Amino acid sequence: MATTLRQRPAPLLLTPTAEARIAELMAKAPEGAIGVKLSTPRRGCSGLAYSVDYVTEAKPMDERIDTPGGVLFVDGGSILYLIGSTMNWVEDDFTAGFVFNNPNAKGACGCGESFTV
């Protein structure tokens, strides 16, 4: 009996605007950048924050999400905090940035800079 493998779903979903922003970032990426990486460093008054940075090498435990405009890596130590999340890019008259709808977040600080699980 042959085993059929199915493609594993991505750990988080990206909206079309998030994918477009990754493409913009990669179009002006510094030399040697292979993608951008999402991580959740300890920061802020609630404990964890979202951080997106250029990356020059993939770590063995990082999750890789291929998008039309480039690669998004998700930090292996952060993945459990992000499973099921949606990543969006939002711009208005006053701010621009990635916004996350994270079902794992149990709370956030008043300024929206950090979250807790």
Side-chain angles (χ1 to χ4, degrees):
M1 177 180 229
T3 302
T4 304
L5 297 178
R6 63 184 173 144
Q7 186 174 0
R8 186 173 64 170
L12 70 148
L13 301 173
L14 283 81
T15 65
T17 55
E19 289 180 348
R21 180 60 181 163
I22 290 171
E24 290 173 16
L25 290 170
M26 290 311 298
K28 59 183 178 183
E31 187 174 330
I34 61 168
V36 292
K37 185 173 184 175
L38 171 62
S39 60
T40 56
R42 298 204 176 278
R43 188 168 62 211
C45 49
S46 287
L48 299 170
Y50 301 104
S51 179
V52 179
D53 302 290
Y54 289 110
V55 64
T56 56
E57 67 176 293
K59 304 280 190 216
M61 298 302 291
D62 288 350
E63 291 283 333
R64 178 187 173 115
I65 301 173
D66 293 305
T67 74
V71 179
L72 172 69
F73 293 94
V74 181
D75 176 66
S78 301
I79 197 68
L80 290 176
Y81 306 132
L82 299 169
I83 291 175
S85 296
T86 300
M87 181 177 177
N88 192 13
W89 176 259
V90 176
E91 290 184 41
D92 63 26
D93 291 339
F94 302 104
T95 61
F98 287 108
V99 176
F100 297 86
N101 180 0
N102 187 344
N104 305 300
K106 301 299 180 214
C109 66
C111 64
E113 189 71 23
S114 61
F115 69 100
T116 186
V117 290

